[in-house]
Amino acid sequence: MRNLLTATALALVFASSAQAQTTELRVHYSIPTIWTQPKKALEAAFEAAHPEIDIVYDGPAESYEDGVQRLLRESVAGNLPDVAFVGLNLWRVLEARDLPVPLDGFLGDDAAREAAGYTPALRSLGRYEGVQHALATSGSTLVMYVNPELVAQAGGSMEDFPTTFDGVIALAAQIDALGDDIDGIWIQPHDWRFQSLLGSHGGRPLTEDESDVAFDDEAGHAAATLFARFASEGGMPSYGTDQARQAFPAGTLGIMLESSSLLARFEQASGENFDIVVKPLPVVAEDTASVYFPTGGSGVVMLTQDEAKQQAAWEFISFVTGPEGQKIIVENTGYAPANGIVLADEAYLGAWYEANPNAKVAHQQVVTYGGPWYAFPGVEGVAVTDLIAASLVEITEGAEPVETVDALAETLRDRLGMK
């Protein structure tokens, strides 16, 4: 009996010791429809390599905007998670409140960063005023998802698919004319989509020094007019994002301008309905050096101020942004990788790209034209993106595009303190 009690006591001591050595990290993320399964895969792979660290995810926010608002509320309550995945256009909202822990000390010198796959272009996605506040964990640009069967029924072909917006809209109109249950084209009225069309025309949201709004110009007017034309000429329905993301793989929507991150989801959902084809976004600007496709997706920030937890948080961040974590993300989402090693070393994704040519098209667009998803400065950043979306909705519903964009620019100047 004495031996049994002794053994039991020792087991409890060892269990207690093991538990004491385990560091628990609270992790925030958004958009469960895209990220729940990849996050589970990342958790399993990371914990297998780091059994001393326990990843505990908070309940996900429905969108990046909702997620940042939640983080701001939690900062006021003193209840921030240790690590957070945020939209690449929204981490500066956190930076304006001095919430992210700078990562420069963890990254090492430039040579170490390059060796780890953190190229200057990738670091730029989370860098501001010389400080690395975030690291990208995934990248996406706006692409065209196409139903080739509806294209063929409308008299078109994938071999001669249009490369201009005029041609795409004309084809969408032909698809829309196939029947009342078929729609031609769809794009979400959203800041990132507007920035993408703006960048295709060589425009920018703000001036380089961030002193003024810049999209109330020829490029901005043209980008906004496309939203109007999609609705009035291309047969764009008025349904919401969830409905659109169901309609396309179901085979009732011909062309969908959407994030490349949804490729895996769409291919799975379309099943045997049809074989999806991805086409790059048309480039309008004659000077292709001015073309700029904002890179959507997420970045990761460290929020814990507990120095004892910061090293564990860095272990998780470096895994997620490293080649092994990036391989998991690419294979499970369709996002472009945010680590140079994964692109350079075919041992990671060479065979996967061969089997997934659609993904290669989308990821090549990131390499060619990708750049930071522009984050509007200050604590008004989230409100500004909401105002842009609301104006785009008005345009798709019939508001005059140029007048609406000019009025929006004036409103933003006021909200951002530029008057």
Side-chain angles (χ1 to χ4, degrees):
M1 179 64 71
R2 182 180 296 117
N3 290 338
L4 178 60
L5 290 173
T6 300
T8 302
L10 286 172
L12 289 172
V13 169
F14 287 135
S16 177
S17 175
Q19 186 176 8
Q21 294 174 5
T22 299
T23 300
E24 181 179 290
L25 288 180
R26 262 186 66 211
V27 179
H28 163 94
Y29 74 98
S30 301
I31 315 183
T33 53
I34 294 176
W35 282 110
T36 293
Q37 291 305 318
K39 288 293 188 284
K40 289 180 179 178
L42 289 169
E43 176 187 7
F46 175 76
E47 290 183 349
H50 297 273
E52 76 283 3
I53 302 174
D54 181 26
I55 302 301
V56 178
Y57 291 118
D58 288 351
E62 287 303 309
S63 69
Y64 288 133
E65 291 81 4
D66 291 339
V68 165
Q69 294 287 17
R70 180 195 295 182
L71 291 171
L72 292 176
R73 291 193 299 270
E74 289 177 335
S75 71
V76 173
N79 189 38
L80 278 171
D82 302 307
V83 174
F85 293 87
V86 296
L88 283 173
N89 70 323
L90 292 172
W91 60 263
R92 278 188 60 185
V93 176
L94 303 179
E95 182 275 331
R97 302 284 183 92
D98 293 322
L99 297 178
V101 176
L103 300 175
D104 301 87
F106 297 97
L107 283 164
D109 60 19
D110 286 344
R113 300 174 191 199
E114 291 285 342
Y118 302 120
T119 66
L122 292 171
R123 297 201 303 273
S124 75
L125 301 180
R127 196 166 182 82
Y128 177 61
E129 293 187 339
V131 177
Q132 197 72 45
H133 299 280
L135 285 174
T137 58
S138 59
S140 67
T141 51
L142 191 68
V143 297
M144 294 189 292
Y145 291 98
V146 181
N147 182 326
E149 294 186 8
L150 291 180
V151 169
Q153 292 175 34
S157 73
M158 297 311 300
E159 292 72 21
D160 193 30
F161 193 84
T163 58
T164 66
F165 282 114
D166 285 342
V168 169
I169 291 170
L171 177 58
Q174 292 174 257
I175 294 172
D176 187 61
L178 291 174
D180 292 340
D181 59 340
I182 300 296
D183 295 306
I185 195 168
W186 187 86
I187 183 173
Q188 180 185 8
H190 183 276
D191 164 55
W192 181 69
R193 280 81 177 168
F194 176 67
Q195 285 194 36
S196 299
L197 299 184
L198 178 67
S200 172
H201 289 80
R204 296 293 186 275
L206 296 185
T207 57
E208 186 174 351
D209 62 1
E210 299 186 354
S211 64
D212 194 16
V213 173
F215 63 73
D216 52 343
D217 61 358
E218 184 178 352
H221 294 159
T225 299
L226 281 177
F227 281 89
R229 293 184 64 196
F230 291 148
S232 63
E233 301 175 38
M236 186 170 90
S238 60
Y239 46 53
T241 303
D242 288 342
Q243 189 175 353
R245 290 177 178 177
Q246 293 171 11
F248 179 75
T252 62
L253 176 61
I255 303 170
M256 186 173 188
L257 279 71
E258 188 49 288
S259 168
S260 59
S261 66
L262 293 169
L263 175 58
R265 173 182 170 182
F266 282 165
E267 288 183 332
Q268 181 180 15
S270 65
E272 298 180 357
N273 293 336
F274 64 95
D275 292 327
I276 293 171
V277 176
V278 172
K279 288 292 185 179
L281 199 67
V283 171
V284 178
E286 293 184 5
D287 177 14
T288 57
S290 69
V291 175
Y292 179 90
F293 289 163
T295 303
S298 65
V300 61
V301 294
M302 183 187 299
L303 299 176
T304 179
Q305 298 298 320
D306 183 343
E307 293 185 4
K309 277 193 172 184
Q310 286 180 356
Q311 186 57 46
W314 172 246
E315 292 292 341
F316 181 62
I317 290 172
S318 61
F319 176 82
V320 168
T321 59
E324 293 295 340
Q326 288 296 291
K327 182 175 184 290
I328 291 171
I329 288 174
V330 171
E331 291 178 340
N332 283 274
T333 66
Y335 272 114
N339 187 288
I341 294 173
V342 180
L343 290 170
D345 189 344
E346 290 190 358
Y348 287 100
L349 288 169
W352 189 84
Y353 278 134
E354 187 174 347
N356 295 273
N358 277 330
K360 192 169 185 178
V361 171
H363 296 182
Q364 184 61 49
Q365 185 168 268
V366 174
V367 173
T368 306
Y369 295 118
W373 180 358
Y374 197 87
F376 290 92
V379 296
E380 291 291 327
V382 174
V384 164
T385 60
D386 289 342
L387 288 169
I388 292 173
S391 293
L392 294 174
V393 169
E394 292 176 5
I395 289 171
T396 62
E397 292 177 346
E400 205 287 319
V402 173
E403 293 178 2
T404 304
V405 163
D406 288 349
L408 173 65
E410 288 302 307
T411 299
L412 265 55
R413 287 186 176 100
D414 182 60
R415 293 296 291 266
L416 296 172
M418 294 175 174
K419 287 189 174 182

